[in-house]
Amino acid sequence: MALDERHELDRLVASWREWLERHDALSAPDVEELEGHLLDRVDSLRAAGLHDDEAFLVAVKRLGAVDDLSREYARVHSERLWKQLVLDDGPDGGGRSATSGDRDASDAPSSLPRRANGLAVALGLGVGAGLAVKVADLVGVDPTFFLRNAPILVLPFLAAWFAWRHRPPLGALAGIAGAFAIAAVVLNAYPFAPGTGTGTVAFATDPSMTELLAAVHAAVALWLVTGVAYAAGDWRSSDARMDFIRFSGEWAVYYLLIALVGGGLSMLAVAVFGSIGVDVLLFVGEWVIPCGAAGAVLVAAWLVEAKQRVIENIAPVLTRVFTPLFALMLIALVAAAALQWNLVDANRDLLIAFDLVLVVALALLVYSYSARDPLVPAGWFERIQFVMLAGALVVDLIVLVAMVGRIGEFGFSANKTASLGLNLILLVNLARAAWLHLGFLRGRAAFIRLERWQTAYLPVYVAWAAVVVVAFPPLFAFE
C-alpha cells in the first residue's frame, strides 16, 4: 500500500475511533475490539479490489450502526455501565480510564479532548449555580435583576463544566470570561426603568420590552459563547460547531424532562405535606424551584455527555414527527395570508408568534441536519423539509411586509427593530438553505454544504444579539 494511502486510511480510522470513544458505554477494550473487526473487514474489501476510502466506508456500514452497537454493549455490560456512569470514578476521576488512549490526538484533526464523566464535578457546579441564584435573591435585588442576569449567574458554571471536560486553551477561556464580563456590565449599567440610575437617561418608551429584548438576546449570545468551551476553543471547525448544535438539542430535551419530573415531584411534596398540616409551599417556591432550575442546567449537560447516544435516538424521532406538522402549519399560514391579506396588519403579538414559529422551524431543520447520516441519499423526509423551508420563506416575507408597514405607520421602536433585524437574518439564512437543499435533492450539492452553511451562520446570530444588548437600550431611550 502506498504511504499516502495508508496515511489516509489511518486518518479515517482514527476519526471513526475518536467519534466512538465519545460514548461512555464503550470502554477502551470494547473500542479496540470493534476497531479490530473494522480493520479485518477493510483488509477483506481491499483484497476484493476496493480503494481504501471505499473499503473503509463499506466496512463501517457492514459493521453495523454504532447506535445498535452502543445499545448492545450497554445491555450486555449493564452492571459495568451504571457503575461507570454513576458510581465508579475510575483511576482518572471518571467512568473511563482514558479517552483517547495511547494514540496521538493529532491523528483525529477535529478531536475534542474529554475527561471522564465527572458526575461529582457536575453536581458540584450545579450546586454552585443554585447558590449563585439564591445569594442574589437573599441580597434583596430587584426582581428584574434575575430577568437580566439569569444567564450570567448560571452559564459560567456550564462553561466551567465544558472547560473541565474538554480543556480549551487559556485564550479561549479568557475570551469567554470577557464576554460574560461585558454582558454583566452592559445589562446592569443601563437604567432600564424610568428615572433610575445615574445621569439624565430615562426610558420614555416601554422599558420592560427593551429590558426583555436585552435579556433574551444576551442569553442567546452567551449560550453560543459557552459553546466555544464545548468546542475546546476550536470554534472555526464546522464539525465542532455542529457538535454543539447537537448538544444543544439534546440538552433541551433532557432539561425539559427534568423540569417536568421536578415540577411533578414538587407539587406532590406540597400536597403530601399539606395533608399532615405542614405548609412547604413557600420553601418549594423560594428554594427548591430556583435552585433546581439552575442546577438542572448542569445535570442535563452531564446526562448528554455521559449517555450521549441514548438521547440521540429520541431527538431525531422528534424532528421527524414535528417537521411534517410544522410544514403543514406553514402551508396553512401561507394559504390564510393569500385568502385573508389583512394578516399583514396583524397586531404585534401575532407577529411575534410568527417569528417564534420561524425560529422553531429553523431549529428543527438545523437539528435534523446535525443528526443525519451525510452518506444517505435524499428521501421523502428531505422533500418535506424543503416544503417547510419554502413555507418558512413565504411566511418570513409576509412578516417583513407587515413589519415595514407597522414601522411606516408607528415609527421605529426597540421591538419592531429587533423583529425586523431577526427576520432579515432569517430570510437570508432560509433562502440560502433552501437553495442548497434543492441542490441536494437534485443531486447537485453535497449534504455537507448544508451543515457547514448553518454552522457558519452562528456568528451572525451572536453579532445581532450583541447589537440588541449593547445598542438598543441607549438607542431607544427617548421617543
Side-chain angles (χ1 to χ4, degrees):
M1 183 190 303
L3 182 60
D4 291 342
E5 293 179 353
R6 185 66 200 181
H7 178 74
E8 176 65 15
L9 179 59
D10 290 342
R11 187 189 67 80
L12 290 171
V13 173
S15 177
W16 172 84
R17 175 170 176 154
E18 184 272 336
W19 183 86
L20 198 64
E21 285 178 337
R22 295 185 185 183
H23 314 298
D24 291 319
L26 301 177
S27 66
D30 298 333
V31 175
E32 293 287 350
E33 181 180 352
L34 291 174
E35 184 177 355
H37 289 306
L38 177 70
L39 292 177
D40 290 341
R41 291 179 180 272
V42 168
D43 290 339
S44 299
L45 292 167
R46 286 181 57 252
L50 271 66
H51 293 292
D52 290 344
D53 53 352
E54 296 172 335
F56 172 77
L57 292 175
V58 173
V60 169
K61 287 291 184 181
R62 291 183 179 177
L63 188 62
V66 178
D67 286 353
D68 297 334
L69 290 170
S70 298
R71 287 195 297 270
E72 180 64 17
Y73 271 90
R75 185 186 65 80
V76 174
H77 306 293
S78 58
E79 181 180 357
R80 184 198 68 192
L81 173 67
W82 284 104
K83 287 182 179 179
Q84 175 179 320
L85 291 179
V86 179
L87 302 176
D88 185 11
D89 277 343
D92 66 341
R96 286 188 296 154
S97 60
T99 53
S100 57
D102 298 326
R103 64 184 177 84
D104 190 347
S106 63
D107 290 341
S110 61
S111 71
L112 299 179
R114 293 162 57 103
R115 293 186 177 184
N117 72 16
L119 175 60
V121 176
L123 291 177
L125 290 171
V127 171
L131 289 177
V133 171
K134 280 310 298 178
V135 166
D137 182 40
L138 294 174
V139 168
V141 294
D142 187 89
T144 60
F145 174 87
F146 293 102
L147 173 68
R148 299 190 305 271
N149 292 279
I152 297 172
L153 292 172
V154 176
L155 290 184
F157 293 92
L158 181 61
W161 161 254
F162 289 153
W164 180 85
R165 184 75 167 168
H166 300 299
R167 289 167 285 178
L170 291 178
L173 292 176
I176 295 168
F180 275 99
I182 293 172
V185 170
V186 169
L187 289 174
N188 293 283
Y190 286 130
F192 285 101
T196 62
T198 59
T200 59
V201 177
F203 288 87
T205 56
D206 183 6
S208 62
M209 182 54 66
T210 307
E211 188 173 11
L212 178 62
L213 285 171
V216 171
H217 285 77
V220 172
L222 292 176
W223 177 268
L224 294 176
V225 167
T226 304
V228 177
Y230 180 88
D234 189 18
W235 195 244
R236 291 189 228 177
S237 167
S238 61
D239 290 338
R241 293 194 298 266
M242 185 54 78
D243 282 343
F244 182 66
I245 290 175
R246 186 180 296 108
F247 167 87
S248 299
E250 296 160 8
W251 176 90
V253 173
Y254 267 126
Y255 190 85
L256 179 60
L257 292 175
I258 293 172
L260 290 174
V261 174
L265 288 176
S266 298
M267 290 187 291
L268 180 62
V270 170
V272 170
F273 279 93
S275 67
I276 59 175
V278 179
D279 186 6
V280 296
L281 183 61
L282 185 64
F283 173 76
V284 170
E286 292 189 358
W287 283 90
V288 175
I289 292 179
C291 293
V297 172
L298 276 299
V299 175
W302 173 79
L303 286 171
V304 175
E305 294 268 275
K307 307 172 186 177
Q308 196 170 34
R309 293 303 295 181
V310 176
I311 193 66
E312 286 182 4
N313 293 323
I314 300 174
V317 172
L318 295 179
T319 61
R320 285 184 173 265
V321 170
F322 286 104
T323 294
L325 296 177
F326 263 80
L328 290 174
M329 178 190 295
L330 292 170
I331 292 173
L333 288 176
V334 172
L339 296 174
Q340 196 174 359
W341 185 248
N342 62 3
L343 275 178
V344 298
D345 299 323
N347 60 34
R348 181 182 68 181
D349 293 338
L350 185 56
L351 293 177
I352 292 174
F354 277 26
D355 280 342
L356 289 177
V357 170
L358 291 174
V359 170
V360 172
L362 183 63
L364 286 172
L365 183 76
V366 174
Y367 190 78
S368 66
Y369 286 167
S370 73
R372 189 184 188 280
D373 184 350
L375 300 178
V376 175
W380 64 269
F381 183 70
E382 285 70 30
R383 290 174 174 81
I384 293 177
Q385 283 182 314
F386 182 74
V387 172
M388 185 179 70
L389 270 172
L393 266 174
V394 176
V395 171
D396 197 4
L397 288 171
I398 292 172
V399 175
L400 280 172
V401 171
M403 290 307 307
V404 171
R406 288 178 62 85
I407 290 173
E409 182 176 354
F410 302 108
F412 282 93
S413 69
N415 180 61
K416 289 192 285 288
T417 307
S419 179
L420 181 65
L422 174 63
N423 280 278
L424 287 173
I425 292 173
L426 287 174
L427 180 68
V428 175
N429 191 355
L430 291 170
R432 178 62 175 167
W435 178 256
L436 292 174
H437 202 99
L438 180 61
F440 175 60
L441 290 176
R442 299 173 64 183
R444 297 183 178 180
F447 175 77
I448 193 65
R449 295 180 64 189
L450 282 166
E451 284 190 319
R452 288 176 177 171
W453 166 253
Q454 292 298 343
T455 61
Y457 221 69
L458 289 178
V460 177
Y461 292 104
V462 176
W464 177 245
V467 168
V468 174
V469 173
V470 175
F472 273 35
L475 185 62
F476 295 97
F478 301 100
E479 287 183 332

